[in-house]
């Protein structure tokens, strides 16, 4: 299986995008992959949009999701220069002050466009290593393949199982810690509740707590699709020490506002199949 995936990744992207078109149609029309979740999320997030508008966004989502699949497959073997030409990072200069003072940064993003390519291209283009926090896969062979892929250009991924300890240890050297902060928190952990896309939404407390522990600035990585196979990333400073004293959950709220606007501006590119709202806000939260 792994050998086959590596072999498949050698195909040109032009061929893989043909495969993506077939995959998108199959997932949307035949298999109806998480169709109820996708449409429920869209309707609740955009209550003012018509049924036709919702269907159009959903169709675009399935196309972009299948592109994510084949592009992640291509990441196994993609040429360094080819990838660098496909992901443009804007305002990199904002990182120079941190580099000169040997200050690490925390980079947060959402499941928008192709976060795997953003990580790999960031390792190529940004002025310090990027260590991404990730959830380990259950299949050991796939876990090894993804770890190797994410490490290709100098990154050193951090499993969530020991993320805090590793980040505190690695923070002694200048680097960027990357994470996706829009996942639904585990049911058993404490959460911060706010309104996101017109719905009561639980956020992970780590988004607020981690930068205050590390004393690192936090930067939102806003990824947008320019055209098929090409992206650009804007870096938006969310907060930096000493942060906004006296304003509880300032970091999460700032992150949420930027993330929400990005989804509204480019709705087809977010991961609508994710069961983001599977937990309901308790009466006393």
């Amino acid at each position: 299986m792994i050998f086959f995936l590596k072999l498949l990744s050698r195909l040109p992207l032009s061929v893989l995008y043909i495969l993506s078109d077939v995959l998108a149609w199959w997932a949307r029309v035949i298999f109806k992959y998480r169709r109820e979740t996708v449409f429920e999320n869209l309707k609740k997030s955009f209550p003012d949009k018509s049924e036709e508008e919702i269907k159009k966004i959903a169709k675009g989502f399935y196309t972009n999701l299948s592109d994510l699949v084949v592009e992640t497959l291509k990441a196994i073997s993609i040429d360094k220069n080819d990838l660098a030409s496909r992901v443009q990072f804007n305002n990199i200069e904002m990182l120079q002050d941190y580099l000169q003072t040997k200050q690490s940064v925390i980079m947060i993003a959402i499941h928008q466009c192709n976060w795997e390519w953003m990580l790999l291209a960031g390792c190529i283009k940004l002025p310090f290593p990027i260590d991404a926090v990730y959830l380990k896969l259950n299949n050991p062979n796939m876990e090894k393949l993804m770890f190797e892929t994410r490490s290709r250009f100098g990154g050193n991924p951090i499993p969530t199982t020991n993320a805090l300890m590793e980040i505190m240890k690695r923070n002694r050297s200048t680097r960027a810690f990357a994470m996706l902060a829009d996942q639904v928190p585990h049911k058993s952990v404490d959460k911060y509740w706010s309104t996101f896309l017109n719905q009561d939404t639980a956020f992970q407390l780590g988004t607020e707590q981690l930068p205050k522990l590390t004393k690192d600035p936090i930067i939102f990585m806003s990824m947008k699709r320019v055209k098929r196979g090409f992206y650009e990333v804007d870096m938006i400073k969310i907060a930096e020490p000493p942060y906004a004293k006296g304003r509880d959950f300032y970091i999460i709220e700032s992150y949420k506002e930027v993330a929400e606007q990005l989804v509204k501006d480019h709705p087809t590119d977010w991961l609508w199949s994710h069961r983001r709202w599977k937990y309901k806000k308790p009466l006393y939260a």
Side-chain angles (χ1 to χ4, degrees):
M1 178 64 175
I2 301 300
F3 174 79
F4 174 72
L5 292 176
K6 289 182 176 180
L7 193 63
L8 199 60
S9 76
R10 297 285 179 179
L11 292 173
L13 271 168
S14 57
V15 175
L16 289 175
Y17 283 135
I18 295 174
L19 175 63
S20 175
D21 290 338
V22 175
L23 180 63
W25 178 82
W26 181 83
R28 179 174 58 89
V29 177
I30 304 300
F31 187 63
K32 296 182 179 180
Y33 173 70
R34 292 195 177 178
R35 176 184 171 86
E36 290 185 6
T37 298
V38 170
F39 276 85
E40 181 181 7
N41 286 345
L42 283 170
K43 288 176 180 179
K44 289 183 177 179
S45 297
F46 302 112
D48 296 332
K49 291 190 181 296
S50 67
E51 186 71 19
E52 286 305 311
E53 289 175 309
I54 294 296
K55 287 180 179 179
K56 184 176 180 180
I57 295 173
K59 184 177 181 180
F61 157 72
Y62 281 106
T63 297
N64 294 332
L65 179 64
S66 59
D67 277 2
L68 169 66
V69 171
V70 300
E71 287 172 2
T72 301
L73 176 65
K74 186 63 181 177
I76 298 171
S77 62
I78 193 169
D79 176 75
K80 183 176 182 178
N81 293 328
D82 187 12
L83 179 62
S85 70
R86 291 176 175 276
V87 185
Q88 173 67 42
F89 283 81
N90 300 325
N91 55 316
I92 292 179
E93 62 276 3
M94 74 177 295
L95 300 176
Q96 291 304 317
D97 289 342
Y98 301 129
L99 182 65
Q100 291 174 7
T101 58
K102 297 182 179 180
Q103 169 73 65
S104 293
V105 300
I106 295 174
M107 295 179 168
I108 56 175
I110 61 175
H111 288 84
Q112 184 87 354
C113 294
N114 190 327
W115 50 93
E116 298 289 351
W117 273 20
M118 179 165 59
L119 167 64
L120 290 177
C123 290
I124 298 168
K125 293 193 168 188
L126 300 187
F128 32 56
I130 303 178
D131 297 350
V133 178
Y134 77 100
L135 184 64
K136 292 183 72 171
L137 300 175
N138 292 327
N139 184 302
N141 292 324
M142 288 299 298
E143 164 63 19
K144 181 181 178 183
L145 177 63
M146 288 306 298
F147 188 91
E148 290 174 350
T149 301
R150 290 165 175 158
S151 306
R152 287 189 64 206
F153 303 125
N156 191 8
I158 306 173
T160 55
T161 48
N162 60 338
L164 180 58
M165 184 182 301
E166 277 297 312
I167 289 173
M168 297 302 292
K169 181 172 66 175
R170 300 184 193 188
N171 200 42
R172 298 166 189 164
S173 59
T174 309
R175 57 209 315 106
F177 300 104
M179 60 193 69
L180 298 168
D182 59 338
Q183 306 101 318
V184 60
H186 193 276
K187 189 174 183 179
S188 63
V189 303
D190 291 335
K191 309 167 184 65
Y192 170 70
W193 288 89
S194 186
T195 302
F196 178 66
L197 293 172
N198 297 302
Q199 299 169 77
D200 288 330
T201 307
F203 288 87
Q204 302 180 62
L205 291 178
T207 307
E208 184 82 17
Q209 296 168 340
L210 179 61
K212 292 179 179 178
L213 285 173
T214 62
K215 308 300 181 186
D216 293 332
I218 188 162
I219 297 170
F220 185 92
M221 308 297 284
S222 176
M223 192 176 202
K224 301 163 191 171
R225 190 184 306 270
V226 178
K227 60 181 180 179
R228 196 174 206 180
F230 291 86
Y231 304 90
E232 67 176 10
V233 180
D234 290 315
M235 288 179 277
I236 303 167
K237 187 187 298 181
I238 295 294
E240 63 182 353
Y243 308 110
K245 292 185 177 180
R247 295 179 61 184
D248 292 339
F249 304 106
Y250 164 77
I251 295 174
I252 292 181
E253 285 294 334
S254 299
Y255 161 78
K256 182 202 75 172
E257 289 175 9
V258 178
E260 185 174 64
Q261 192 59 54
L262 179 59
V263 175
K264 288 180 177 179
D265 290 343
H266 306 278
T268 60
D269 288 330
W270 197 50
L271 193 61
W272 294 104
S273 56
H274 177 45
R275 296 187 177 97
R276 185 63 181 87
W277 293 280
K278 64 180 178 179
Y279 301 135
K280 302 305 179 183
K281 182 178 179 180
L283 184 60
Y284 303 102

